[in-house]
Amino acid sequence: MTLQQKMMAKIDESGGIENLVDFLNKFRLTIHESDKIYFNNMIDYFSLLYQQEVPVEQHAVEYKEASLKTIEILNKYNKDDTLELLTFLNNLIVFKLEAVSNIKNLAS
């Protein structure tokens, strides 16, 4: 199973892509304007996983800093881990980064 398929399975188990996108669209209406780009990017990226084959591993390496910044933004709005879907998104991004880290460690 590819990393993309694993991520999609996790999204499906959490309620599906439609539920996730709906939540993100509503939630981004409540946040600072400067942070909306991160939520827009998550909506686009996670939706894209369901539309075409995505080089998830390559993106995880190339856009690691953007992923880390996204995690920081998610934590900013979910300080107490009270919003289940924000916690899920945080864990999903960490899962992607750890999967690539494990691959890099095997290649060393």
Side-chain angles (χ1 to χ4, degrees):
M1 183 178 270
T2 67
L3 182 54
Q4 179 174 352
Q5 291 167 330
K6 289 177 183 177
M7 290 177 66
M8 289 169 58
K10 288 182 178 293
I11 292 169
D12 292 342
E13 290 169 9
S14 78
I17 189 65
E18 294 84 9
N19 183 52
L20 183 63
V21 168
D22 185 51
F23 169 80
L24 288 171
N25 275 318
K26 289 176 183 173
F27 191 80
R28 78 185 162 116
L29 297 175
T30 68
I31 63 174
H32 295 101
E33 194 65 36
S34 61
D35 294 335
K36 288 184 180 186
I37 186 73
Y38 296 97
F39 285 81
N40 292 339
N41 287 344
M42 283 187 284
I43 291 166
D44 292 343
Y45 190 77
F46 294 125
S47 295
L48 189 63
L49 294 177
Y50 287 82
Q51 297 168 7
Q52 66 187 48
E53 190 172 321
V54 177
V56 176
E57 294 86 353
Q58 180 182 346
H59 287 171
V61 172
E62 290 178 9
Y63 304 113
K64 179 180 179 183
E65 292 304 315
S67 293
L68 293 173
K69 181 63 178 176
T70 301
I71 290 169
E72 181 182 317
I73 296 296
L74 289 169
N75 288 334
K76 173 181 173 180
Y77 291 102
N78 196 26
K79 288 183 178 147
D80 299 324
D81 277 337
T82 55
L83 296 170
E84 188 176 318
L85 278 175
L86 291 186
T87 300
F88 167 75
L89 287 166
N90 186 331
N91 292 339
L92 185 62
I93 296 168
V94 168
F95 170 77
K96 176 181 73 169
L97 293 174
E98 286 178 349
V100 172
S101 175
N102 290 338
I103 292 169
K104 286 173 62 176
N105 289 340
L106 290 174
S108 305

Coordinates of all heavy atoms in Angstrom, one line a residue, residues 15-76:
G15 N -14.1 9.7 8.7 CA -15.3 10.3 8.3 C -15.4 10.6 6.8 O -16.4 11.1 6.3
G16 N -14.2 10.5 6.1 CA -14.2 10.7 4.7 C -13.8 12.1 4.3 O -13.7 13.1 5.1
I17 N -13.4 12.2 3.0 CA -12.8 13.5 2.5 C -13.9 14.6 2.5 O -13.6 15.8 2.8 CB -12.2 13.3 1.1 CG1 -11.4 14.5 0.7 CG2 -13.2 12.9 0.1 CD1 -10.2 14.9 1.5
E18 N -15.1 14.3 2.2 CA -16.2 15.3 2.1 C -16.4 15.9 3.5 O -16.4 17.2 3.6 CB -17.5 14.7 1.6 CG -17.5 14.3 0.2 CD -16.9 12.8 0.0 OE1 -16.7 12.1 1.0 OE2 -16.7 12.4 -1.1
N19 N -16.4 15.1 4.5 CA -16.5 15.6 5.9 C -15.3 16.5 6.3 O -15.5 17.5 6.9 CB -16.6 14.4 6.9 CG -16.9 14.8 8.3 OD1 -17.7 15.6 8.6 ND2 -16.0 14.3 9.2
L20 N -14.1 16.0 5.9 CA -12.9 16.8 6.2 C -12.9 18.1 5.5 O -12.6 19.2 6.2 CB -11.7 15.9 5.9 CG -10.3 16.6 6.2 CD1 -10.2 16.7 7.7 CD2 -9.2 15.7 5.6
V21 N -13.2 18.1 4.3 CA -13.2 19.4 3.5 C -14.3 20.3 4.0 O -14.1 21.5 4.2 CB -13.4 19.1 2.0 CG1 -13.7 20.4 1.2 CG2 -12.1 18.4 1.4
D22 N -15.4 19.8 4.3 CA -16.5 20.6 4.9 C -16.1 21.3 6.2 O -16.3 22.5 6.4 CB -17.8 19.8 5.1 CG -19.0 20.6 5.5 OD1 -19.3 21.6 4.9 OD2 -19.6 20.2 6.5
F23 N -15.5 20.5 7.1 CA -15.0 21.0 8.3 C -14.0 22.1 8.1 O -14.0 23.2 8.7 CB -14.4 19.9 9.2 CG -13.7 20.4 10.4 CD1 -14.3 20.8 11.5 CD2 -12.3 20.5 10.4 CE1 -13.7 21.3 12.6 CE2 -11.6 21.1 11.5 CZ -12.3 21.4 12.6
L24 N -13.0 21.9 7.2 CA -11.9 22.8 7.0 C -12.5 24.1 6.4 O -12.1 25.2 6.7 CB -10.9 22.3 6.1 CG -10.0 21.2 6.7 CD1 -9.1 20.5 5.7 CD2 -9.1 21.8 7.8
N25 N -13.4 24.0 5.5 CA -14.1 25.2 4.9 C -14.8 26.0 5.9 O -14.7 27.3 5.9 CB -15.1 24.8 3.8 CG -14.4 24.6 2.4 OD1 -13.5 25.4 2.0 ND2 -14.8 23.6 1.7
K26 N -15.5 25.4 6.8 CA -16.2 26.1 7.9 C -15.2 26.7 8.9 O -15.3 27.8 9.3 CB -17.2 25.2 8.6 CG -18.4 24.9 7.7 CD -19.3 23.9 8.4 CE -20.5 23.5 7.5 NZ -21.3 22.5 8.1
F27 N -14.2 25.9 9.3 CA -13.3 26.3 10.3 C -12.4 27.5 9.8 O -12.1 28.4 10.6 CB -12.3 25.2 10.7 CG -11.5 25.5 11.9 CD1 -12.1 25.4 13.2 CD2 -10.2 25.9 11.9 CE1 -11.4 25.7 14.4 CE2 -9.5 26.2 13.0 CZ -10.1 26.1 14.2
R28 N -12.0 27.5 8.6 CA -11.2 28.6 8.1 C -11.9 30.0 8.1 O -11.2 31.0 8.1 CB -10.6 28.3 6.7 CG -11.5 28.5 5.6 CD -10.8 28.0 4.3 NE -11.8 27.8 3.4 CZ -12.0 28.5 2.3 NH1 -11.1 29.4 1.9 NH2 -13.0 28.3 1.5
L29 N -13.2 30.0 8.2 CA -13.9 31.2 8.3 C -13.8 31.9 9.7 O -14.0 33.0 9.8 CB -15.4 31.0 8.0 CG -15.8 30.4 6.7 CD1 -17.3 30.1 6.6 CD2 -15.4 31.4 5.6
T30 N -13.2 31.1 10.6 CA -13.1 31.6 12.0 C -11.7 32.0 12.4 O -11.4 32.4 13.5 CB -13.6 30.5 13.0 OG1 -12.6 29.4 13.0 CG2 -15.0 30.0 12.7
I31 N -10.7 31.9 11.4 CA -9.3 32.1 11.8 C -8.8 33.4 11.2 O -9.4 34.0 10.3 CB -8.5 30.9 11.3 CG1 -8.5 30.7 9.8 CG2 -8.9 29.6 12.0 CD1 -7.6 29.7 9.2
H32 N -7.6 33.7 11.6 CA -6.9 34.9 11.1 C -6.7 34.8 9.6 O -6.4 33.7 9.1 CB -5.6 35.1 11.8 CG -5.7 35.4 13.2 ND1 -5.5 34.4 14.2 CD2 -6.0 36.5 13.9 CE1 -5.6 34.9 15.4 NE2 -6.0 36.2 15.3
E33 N -6.8 35.9 8.9 CA -6.7 35.9 7.5 C -5.3 35.4 7.0 O -5.2 34.7 6.1 CB -6.8 37.4 7.0 CG -7.0 37.5 5.5 CD -8.3 36.9 5.0 OE1 -9.4 37.0 5.7 OE2 -8.3 36.4 3.9
S34 N -4.3 35.7 7.8 CA -2.9 35.3 7.4 C -2.7 33.8 7.5 O -1.8 33.2 6.9 CB -1.9 36.0 8.3 OG -2.1 35.6 9.7
D35 N -3.6 33.1 8.2 CA -3.5 31.6 8.4 C -4.4 30.8 7.4 O -4.2 29.6 7.3 CB -3.9 31.2 9.8 CG -2.9 31.8 10.9 OD1 -1.7 32.0 10.5 OD2 -3.3 31.9 12.0
K36 N -5.2 31.5 6.7 CA -6.2 30.8 5.8 C -5.5 30.1 4.7 O -6.0 29.1 4.3 CB -7.2 31.8 5.3 CG -8.2 32.3 6.3 CD -9.2 33.2 5.7 CE -10.2 33.6 6.9 NZ -11.3 34.3 6.5
I37 N -4.3 30.6 4.3 CA -3.6 29.9 3.2 C -3.3 28.4 3.6 O -3.3 27.5 2.7 CB -2.3 30.7 2.8 CG1 -1.6 30.0 1.6 CG2 -1.3 30.7 4.0 CD1 -2.3 30.3 0.3
Y38 N -3.0 28.2 4.8 CA -2.6 26.8 5.3 C -3.9 25.9 5.2 O -3.7 24.8 4.8 CB -2.0 26.9 6.7 CG -0.7 27.6 6.7 CD1 -0.7 28.9 7.1 CD2 0.4 27.0 6.3 CE1 0.5 29.6 7.1 CE2 1.6 27.7 6.3 CZ 1.7 29.0 6.7 OH 2.9 29.7 6.7
F39 N -5.0 26.5 5.6 CA -6.2 25.7 5.5 C -6.6 25.5 4.0 O -7.1 24.4 3.6 CB -7.3 26.3 6.3 CG -7.1 26.1 7.8 CD1 -6.2 26.9 8.5 CD2 -7.8 25.1 8.4 CE1 -6.0 26.7 9.8 CE2 -7.6 24.9 9.8 CZ -6.7 25.7 10.5
N40 N -6.5 26.5 3.2 CA -6.7 26.3 1.8 C -5.8 25.2 1.2 O -6.3 24.4 0.4 CB -6.5 27.6 1.0 CG -7.5 28.7 1.4 OD1 -8.6 28.4 1.8 ND2 -7.2 29.9 1.1
N41 N -4.5 25.3 1.6 CA -3.6 24.3 1.0 C -4.0 22.9 1.5 O -3.9 21.9 0.7 CB -2.2 24.6 1.5 CG -1.6 25.8 0.8 OD1 -2.1 26.2 -0.3 ND2 -0.5 26.3 1.3
M42 N -4.4 22.7 2.7 CA -4.8 21.4 3.2 C -6.1 20.9 2.4 O -6.1 19.7 2.0 CB -5.1 21.4 4.7 CG -3.9 21.4 5.6 SD -4.3 21.2 7.3 CE -4.9 22.9 7.7
I43 N -7.0 21.8 2.2 CA -8.2 21.4 1.4 C -7.8 20.9 0.1 O -8.2 19.9 -0.4 CB -9.2 22.6 1.3 CG1 -9.8 22.9 2.7 CG2 -10.3 22.3 0.3 CD1 -10.5 24.2 2.8
D44 N -7.0 21.7 -0.6 CA -6.5 21.4 -1.9 C -5.7 20.1 -2.0 O -6.0 19.2 -2.8 CB -5.7 22.5 -2.6 CG -6.5 23.7 -2.8 OD1 -7.7 23.7 -2.9 OD2 -5.8 24.8 -3.0
Y45 N -4.8 19.9 -1.0 CA -3.9 18.8 -1.1 C -4.6 17.5 -0.7 O -4.5 16.5 -1.5 CB -2.7 19.0 -0.1 CG -1.7 17.9 -0.2 CD1 -0.8 18.0 -1.3 CD2 -1.6 16.8 0.7 CE1 0.2 17.0 -1.4 CE2 -0.6 15.9 0.5 CZ 0.3 16.0 -0.5 OH 1.2 15.0 -0.7
F46 N -5.4 17.5 0.3 CA -6.1 16.3 0.7 C -7.2 15.9 -0.3 O -7.4 14.7 -0.6 CB -6.6 16.3 2.1 CG -5.5 16.4 3.2 CD1 -5.5 17.5 4.1 CD2 -4.5 15.5 3.2 CE1 -4.5 17.5 5.0 CE2 -3.5 15.5 4.1 CZ -3.5 16.6 5.0
S47 N -7.8 16.9 -0.9 CA -8.8 16.6 -2.0 C -8.1 16.0 -3.2 O -8.6 15.1 -3.8 CB -9.5 17.9 -2.4 OG -10.3 18.4 -1.4
L48 N -6.9 16.5 -3.5 CA -6.1 16.0 -4.6 C -5.7 14.5 -4.5 O -5.7 13.8 -5.5 CB -4.8 16.9 -4.8 CG -4.0 16.6 -6.1 CD1 -4.8 17.0 -7.3 CD2 -2.7 17.5 -6.0
L49 N -5.5 14.1 -3.3 CA -5.2 12.7 -3.1 C -6.3 11.8 -3.6 O -6.0 10.7 -4.1 CB -5.1 12.4 -1.6 CG -4.0 13.0 -0.8 CD1 -4.1 12.7 0.7 CD2 -2.6 12.6 -1.4
Y50 N -7.5 12.2 -3.7 CA -8.7 11.5 -4.2 C -8.9 11.7 -5.7 O -9.7 10.9 -6.3 CB -9.9 11.8 -3.4 CG -9.9 11.3 -2.0 CD1 -9.3 11.9 -1.0 CD2 -10.5 10.1 -1.7 CE1 -9.2 11.4 0.3 CE2 -10.5 9.5 -0.4 CZ -9.9 10.2 0.6 OH -9.8 9.7 1.8
Q51 N -8.2 12.6 -6.3 CA -8.4 12.9 -7.7 C -7.4 12.3 -8.6 O -7.6 12.1 -9.8 CB -8.5 14.4 -7.9 CG -9.7 15.0 -7.1 CD -9.6 16.5 -7.1 OE1 -8.8 17.2 -7.7 NE2 -10.5 17.1 -6.3
Q52 N -6.2 12.2 -8.1 CA -5.1 11.7 -9.0 C -4.0 11.1 -8.1 O -3.9 11.3 -6.9 CB -4.5 12.8 -9.9 CG -3.9 13.9 -9.1 CD -3.5 15.1 -10.0 OE1 -4.3 15.6 -10.7 NE2 -2.3 15.6 -9.8
E53 N -3.1 10.4 -8.8 CA -1.9 9.9 -8.1 C -1.0 11.1 -7.8 O -0.7 11.9 -8.6 CB -1.1 8.9 -9.0 CG -0.1 8.2 -8.3 CD 0.5 7.0 -9.1 OE1 -0.3 6.4 -9.9 OE2 1.7 6.9 -9.1
V54 N -0.6 11.1 -6.5 CA 0.2 12.2 -6.0 C 1.5 11.7 -5.5 O 1.5 10.7 -4.8 CB -0.5 13.0 -4.9 CG1 0.3 14.1 -4.3 CG2 -1.8 13.5 -5.4
P55 N 2.7 12.3 -5.8 CA 4.0 11.8 -5.3 C 4.1 12.3 -3.8 O 4.9 13.2 -3.5 CB 5.0 12.5 -6.2 CG 4.3 13.7 -6.7 CD 2.9 13.4 -6.8
V56 N 3.4 11.6 -2.9 CA 3.3 12.1 -1.5 C 4.7 12.0 -0.9 O 5.0 13.0 -0.2 CB 2.3 11.2 -0.8 CG1 2.3 11.5 0.7 CG2 0.9 11.3 -1.4
E57 N 5.4 11.0 -1.1 CA 6.8 10.9 -0.5 C 7.7 12.1 -0.9 O 8.3 12.7 -0.1 CB 7.4 9.6 -0.9 CG 6.8 8.4 -0.3 CD 5.6 7.8 -1.1 OE1 5.2 8.4 -2.1 OE2 5.1 6.7 -0.8
Q58 N 7.7 12.4 -2.2 CA 8.5 13.5 -2.8 C 8.0 14.8 -2.2 O 8.8 15.6 -1.8 CB 8.3 13.5 -4.3 CG 9.1 14.6 -4.9 CD 8.9 14.6 -6.4 OE1 8.4 13.7 -7.0 NE2 9.3 15.7 -7.0
H59 N 6.7 15.0 -2.1 CA 6.2 16.2 -1.5 C 6.6 16.4 -0.1 O 6.9 17.5 0.4 CB 4.7 16.3 -1.6 CG 4.2 16.5 -3.0 ND1 2.8 16.4 -3.4 CD2 4.8 16.9 -4.2 CE1 2.7 16.7 -4.6 NE2 3.9 16.9 -5.1
A60 N 6.5 15.2 0.7 CA 6.9 15.3 2.1 C 8.3 15.7 2.3 O 8.6 16.5 3.2 CB 6.6 13.9 2.7
V61 N 9.2 15.3 1.4 CA 10.6 15.7 1.5 C 10.8 17.2 1.1 O 11.3 18.0 1.8 CB 11.5 14.8 0.7 CG1 12.9 15.3 0.6 CG2 11.5 13.4 1.3
E62 N 10.2 17.5 -0.1 CA 10.4 18.8 -0.7 C 9.7 19.9 0.1 O 10.2 21.1 0.1 CB 9.9 18.9 -2.2 CG 10.8 18.0 -3.1 CD 10.3 18.0 -4.5 OE1 9.3 18.8 -4.8 OE2 10.8 17.3 -5.3
Y63 N 8.6 19.6 0.7 CA 7.8 20.6 1.4 C 7.7 20.4 2.9 O 6.7 20.7 3.5 CB 6.4 20.7 0.7 CG 6.4 20.9 -0.7 CD1 6.0 20.0 -1.6 CD2 6.9 22.1 -1.3 CE1 6.0 20.2 -3.0 CE2 6.9 22.3 -2.6 CZ 6.5 21.4 -3.5 OH 6.5 21.6 -4.8
K64 N 8.8 19.8 3.4 CA 8.8 19.5 4.8 C 8.6 20.8 5.7 O 7.8 20.7 6.6 CB 10.1 18.8 5.2 CG 10.2 18.5 6.7 CD 11.5 17.9 7.0 CE 11.6 17.6 8.5 NZ 12.9 17.0 8.9
E65 N 9.2 21.8 5.3 CA 9.1 23.1 6.1 C 7.6 23.6 6.1 O 7.1 24.0 7.1 CB 10.0 24.2 5.6 CG 11.5 23.8 5.9 CD 11.8 23.6 7.4 OE1 11.3 24.3 8.2 OE2 12.5 22.6 7.7
A66 N 7.0 23.5 4.9 CA 5.6 23.9 4.9 C 4.7 23.0 5.7 O 3.8 23.4 6.4 CB 5.1 23.9 3.4
S67 N 5.0 21.7 5.7 CA 4.3 20.7 6.6 C 4.5 21.1 8.1 O 3.5 21.0 8.8 CB 4.7 19.3 6.3 OG 4.4 18.9 5.0
L68 N 5.7 21.4 8.4 CA 6.0 21.7 9.8 C 5.2 23.0 10.2 O 4.7 23.1 11.3 CB 7.5 21.9 10.1 CG 8.3 20.6 10.0 CD1 9.8 20.8 10.0 CD2 7.8 19.6 11.0
K69 N 5.2 24.0 9.3 CA 4.5 25.2 9.6 C 3.0 25.0 9.7 O 2.3 25.6 10.5 CB 4.7 26.3 8.5 CG 4.1 27.6 8.7 CD 4.5 28.3 9.9 CE 3.8 29.7 10.0 NZ 4.2 30.4 11.3
T70 N 2.5 24.1 8.9 CA 1.0 23.7 8.9 C 0.7 23.1 10.3 O -0.3 23.4 10.9 CB 0.7 22.8 7.8 OG1 0.9 23.4 6.5 CG2 -0.8 22.4 7.8
I71 N 1.6 22.2 10.8 CA 1.4 21.6 12.1 C 1.4 22.7 13.2 O 0.6 22.7 14.1 CB 2.5 20.6 12.4 CG1 2.3 19.3 11.5 CG2 2.6 20.2 13.8 CD1 3.5 18.4 11.5
E72 N 2.3 23.7 13.0 CA 2.3 24.8 14.0 C 1.0 25.6 14.0 O 0.5 25.9 15.0 CB 3.5 25.7 13.6 CG 3.7 26.9 14.5 CD 4.8 27.8 14.0 OE1 5.9 27.2 13.6 OE2 4.7 29.0 14.0
I73 N 0.5 25.8 12.8 CA -0.8 26.5 12.7 C -1.9 25.7 13.3 O -2.8 26.2 14.0 CB -1.1 26.9 11.2 CG1 -0.1 27.8 10.7 CG2 -2.5 27.4 11.1 CD1 0.0 29.2 11.3
L74 N -2.0 24.4 13.0 CA -3.0 23.5 13.6 C -2.9 23.5 15.1 O -3.9 23.6 15.8 CB -2.8 22.1 13.1 CG -3.2 21.9 11.6 CD1 -2.7 20.5 11.2 CD2 -4.7 22.0 11.4
N75 N -1.7 23.5 15.7 CA -1.5 23.5 17.1 C -2.0 24.9 17.7 O -2.5 24.9 18.8 CB -0.1 23.2 17.5 CG 0.3 21.8 17.3 OD1 -0.6 20.9 17.3 ND2 1.5 21.5 17.0
K76 N -1.8 25.9 16.9 CA -2.2 27.3 17.4 C -3.7 27.3 17.6 O -4.1 27.9 18.6 CB -1.8 28.3 16.3 CG -2.3 29.7 16.5 CD -1.8 30.6 15.4 CE -2.4 32.0 15.4 NZ -2.0 32.8 14.3

